[in-house]
Amino acid sequence: METHTTLIAAFLGLIEGLTEFIPVSSTGHLLLAGHFLGFESAGKTFEVVIQLGAVLALLTIYFGKLWQVFRDAPRDPAARRFILSVLVAFLPAVFIGVLAHDFIKNVLFETPRLIAVMLVLGGVVLLFVDKIAPEPRHDDATAFPVKMSLIIGFVQCLAMIPGVSRSGATIVGALMLGASKRAAAEFSFFLSLPTMAGAFAYDIYKNRDLLDAGAVNEIVVGLICAFISAVFVVKWLLGFVSRHGYGLFGWWRIIVGSVAFVALSMGF
């Protein structure tokens, strides 16, 4: 793997880790950055698979809490309800993701202008919801009602359009259903584990014939960088949104999406 390609893979991995768990669309940022840097991965597999680095970062930070939940599940109804809530929220993404996989990867992922527009629209929605969300009724991300979790799971599916943001969709859904800002972010963390792991496994299966040694090396570099940067973001995010909300991320989306759309319109 050439040094230039290695540096780009590392840079994209850094972007993935920094943006995966904040509501700005990591996939949108990756695809736009890859477009402007001239980076092409076979089947757009790199952009999906390096998400595993962010998953591993989250598992590292929450290992103790998750271990306790699974250890207590046989005798603790609350632990079982939490596991059920996350699995129920994950199910819509399974069905829609499998059915629409080829369209998402071959059409939506190849439309940079759509990504830029969705970044801007998502930023406007995030700013609006951050102001008008109802008074929080749910402060514990591990105790969301199962019905509420299912609705959040359907909202998450909007993020199959690149530029929408998986974390953004789940956070907006949770806020509008009465979650506190911190609980909305934390439930998005938990839901990301099966969602991103499933996307990783399915994409590897679908594109296994496209992965040569060069592609694997790029993925490893990107994955490591995503892991390192995601650790810092996860540790920082909950405290930040508890104090300041999500307005900063809404404005970031609008600025990045607008700049990208103008650049694309100019032929870059």
Side-chain angles (χ1 to χ4, degrees):
M1 183 168 54
E2 297 179 0
T3 302
H4 176 68
T5 306
T6 303
L7 291 174
I8 291 178
F11 177 66
L12 294 177
L14 183 67
I15 291 176
E16 161 61 27
L18 291 175
T19 58
E20 180 58 53
F21 298 114
I22 61 177
V24 299
S25 180
S26 61
T27 301
H29 278 67
L30 283 175
L31 292 172
L32 287 175
H35 171 81
F36 291 120
L37 291 171
F39 178 84
E40 290 287 340
S41 66
K44 296 297 183 183
T45 296
F46 175 89
E47 290 82 355
V48 174
V49 173
I50 64 169
Q51 293 177 355
L52 181 62
V55 171
L56 294 175
L58 198 59
L59 282 173
T60 300
I61 294 169
Y62 278 97
F63 178 80
K65 187 168 189 173
L66 293 171
W67 175 258
Q68 183 177 352
V69 167
F70 284 102
R71 186 190 63 191
D72 295 346
R75 60 182 182 278
D76 184 355
R80 292 197 297 271
R81 186 181 64 215
F82 169 55
I83 295 171
L84 177 63
S85 289
V86 173
L87 291 178
V88 164
F90 167 58
L91 286 178
V94 175
F95 291 107
I96 297 176
V98 169
L99 290 174
H101 178 271
D102 291 343
F103 176 75
I104 294 167
K105 293 294 292 293
N106 298 328
V107 178
L108 299 183
F109 272 41
E110 300 290 346
T111 316
R113 280 189 177 83
L114 171 65
I115 298 169
V117 169
M118 296 312 297
L119 281 172
V120 173
L121 291 179
V124 173
V125 170
L126 195 58
L127 287 172
F128 184 68
V129 169
D130 194 47
K131 296 296 185 183
I132 61 93
E135 192 69 23
R137 304 187 306 276
H138 305 284
D139 293 320
D140 185 353
T142 66
F144 284 4
V146 173
K147 181 179 178 181
M148 176 179 172
S149 299
L150 179 61
I151 296 172
I152 294 171
F154 277 109
V155 176
Q156 177 182 235
C157 293
L158 294 173
M160 293 180 187
I161 303 171
V164 170
S165 171
R166 185 205 59 77
S167 59
T170 55
I171 286 169
V172 164
L175 289 174
M176 293 306 295
L177 291 169
S180 68
K181 292 176 179 179
R182 182 184 180 94
E186 196 163 30
F187 188 79
S188 177
F189 288 171
F190 294 133
L191 181 54
S192 73
L193 292 172
T195 302
M196 292 161 61
F200 163 81
Y202 190 66
D203 208 84
I204 285 289
Y205 168 74
K206 290 283 288 185
N207 294 293
R208 59 193 182 279
D209 296 331
L210 301 177
L211 297 176
D212 56 20
V216 171
N217 288 337
E218 292 169 6
I219 288 169
V220 170
V221 170
L223 192 150
I224 292 171
C225 292
F227 173 86
I228 294 170
S229 54
V231 167
F232 290 101
V233 170
V234 171
K235 290 183 175 181
W236 163 81
L237 183 62
L238 293 179
F240 179 85
V241 298
S242 297
R243 295 188 300 272
H244 305 291
Y246 294 96
L248 173 65
F249 307 117
W251 285 115
W252 174 263
R253 292 176 62 108
I254 292 170
I255 293 168
V256 171
S258 299
V259 170
F261 189 84
V262 170
L264 291 166
S265 298
M266 294 174 64
F268 288 99

